[in-house]
Amino acid sequence: MKKSKETPAVATSTPVKITVDGKEREFDIDNPTLPDWIEDHKLTAGGYPYDEKMKGDEYDKTLELLQIELVKAQAWLQATGKRVMALFEGRDAAGKGGTIFALHQYMNPRTARNVALTKPTEAEHGQWYFQRYVKHFPTAGEFVTFDRSWYNRAGVEPVMGFCTPEQHEQFLEETPHFERMICNDGIHFFKFWLNIGQETQLERFHDRRFSPLKNWKFSPIDIAGLTKWEDYTKARDLMFERTHKKFAPWIIVRANDKRRARLSVMRRILLSLPYDGRDLDVIGKEDKKIIGEGPSFLSKQD
C-alpha cells in the first residue's frame, strides 16, 4: 500500500463504484491510502507500452536540448511572421498543463502565450460558439497554445449535459470546416490528445486530492466524472471519427509517463516547423509507441 498522507482541507466525497477493466471497484478519493489495484497499474494502464518511467537524467538532458530548439523556432516565427497554434486536449489529469509549461518555459512570453478560458459568460453564451476562441488566435510571429479549446463541446459538455444533442451534432459537423479555414490561412495548426489509462487518472486525482500545492485542481466535476469513464471514451471516439482530417489531424500522445509525453509533443512541433538552424540530430526521431495520428493509433484497451 502507498504511504498515507495528511488530508488537506478540500471538499470531500463518498466512495464510488467504478468499473475498471471489466471489474467493479470501490474508490474513495478521501482515503489517504491508494489502493493496490491502482498503485500496481498506474503506469501500465490502458496498454501503455513501457513498464518504467523515463529516467530523470535522460529526460532533463533531452528536455533542455529540445527547449533550445524551441527558442530557435520562436526566433524564426518572429523573423518571418509565421504563426503556430496548438490545442491540448485529454481527460482530466492527462498532463496538459505540465506539457504546456515545458513548451513555454524558455520562450519569450511577449510572443508565446497560453489560453485557458473559464466557462462562458452570459454574453458569450449568446455568441457564435467559436467566437470566444477566435479572438485569442495568434497574430504574426506568435506561438499560442490552448489548454482545452472548442473541443469542450465534444467531450465534457455532452457527457455532463452542458449542451444539447443538437448542439453537439452541429459542433461535429461544423468543426472540420472551421479548422480548414485556420489551416488555409497559413497557421501551423496542431491538435494534441494526451491519452492516459484509467488507473493513471485515478492515481493523479488522488495525488491532487492530498497535495497542498495542487488540491485546487481537484473539483466537484472531477468527482462527478469518476463513474463516466466509458461515456468519455465514447465521446472521444466519436470526436476522432468526425474531426480527424488530413489537413488537421488528431495527434495522439500516450501520456501515462509525463516525461515521454512532453518530449514527444516537442519533437512533433519541431519536426513540423521549417525554422532556420533546425538540428534534426538533436531533435531526434519520434517514438512510434508513444505518438501517432488518429483513432487507429489507440488500442481497444484505451
Side-chain angles (χ1 to χ4, degrees), residues 84-243:
V84 170
M85 183 162 64
L87 313 185
F88 287 85
E89 295 289 345
R91 299 179 192 266
D92 291 328
K96 299 179 289 296
T99 301
I100 291 169
F101 174 80
L103 274 171
H104 284 272
Q105 189 172 5
Y106 293 104
M107 298 178 79
N108 185 342
R110 292 179 178 176
T111 56
R113 54 189 172 85
N114 184 52
V115 180
L117 301 182
T118 58
K119 64 181 182 180
T121 64
E122 184 176 349
E124 288 170 336
H125 272 299
Q127 297 173 348
W128 175 47
Y129 177 74
F130 297 101
Q131 188 168 338
R132 69 194 296 250
Y133 299 100
V134 171
K135 65 183 180 181
H136 296 283
F137 278 18
T139 189
E142 282 196 320
F143 182 103
V144 175
T145 53
F146 278 80
D147 187 345
R148 294 199 180 277
S149 66
W150 45 91
Y151 280 100
N152 282 329
R153 182 141 291 181
V156 65
E157 288 190 21
V159 170
M160 301 304 294
F162 298 155
C163 70
T164 66
E166 293 76 19
Q167 289 172 324
H168 182 207
E169 172 58 30
Q170 182 180 4
F171 173 85
L172 294 173
E173 175 67 25
E174 292 180 349
T175 296
H177 303 290
F178 174 64
E179 292 177 352
R180 183 182 287 278
M181 289 190 289
I182 293 172
C183 297
N184 286 350
D185 201 52
I187 295 175
H188 292 275
F189 183 52
F190 301 89
K191 299 190 303 189
F192 290 103
W193 176 270
L194 304 187
N195 200 70
I196 57 173
Q198 191 171 7
E199 292 96 325
T200 309
Q201 185 190 54
L202 292 172
E203 190 274 336
R204 292 181 184 177
F205 278 167
H206 189 267
D207 182 59
R208 288 179 178 183
R209 170 69 180 86
F210 291 96
S211 168
L213 294 176
K214 297 185 290 185
N215 62 60
W216 61 270
K217 291 185 176 183
F218 192 72
S219 68
I221 199 169
D222 292 328
I223 297 174
L226 287 176
T227 61
K228 297 183 179 294
W229 179 269
E230 290 301 325
D231 293 332
Y232 275 109
T233 299
K234 291 177 182 177
R236 178 203 66 184
D237 291 349
L238 179 60
M239 177 186 76
F240 288 160
E241 177 187 338
R242 299 285 295 275
T243 64

Side-chain angles (χ1 to χ4, degrees), residues 16-47:
V16 295
K17 292 184 177 180
I18 55 179
T19 301
V20 180
D21 291 333
K23 299 179 181 178
E24 189 175 85
R25 303 281 195 178
E26 186 173 271
F27 179 58
D28 183 0
I29 192 65
D30 289 323
N31 187 336
T33 301
L34 189 68
D36 287 340
W37 58 269
I38 297 178
E39 181 70 38
D40 294 342
H41 298 95
K42 63 184 182 183
L43 180 62
T44 58

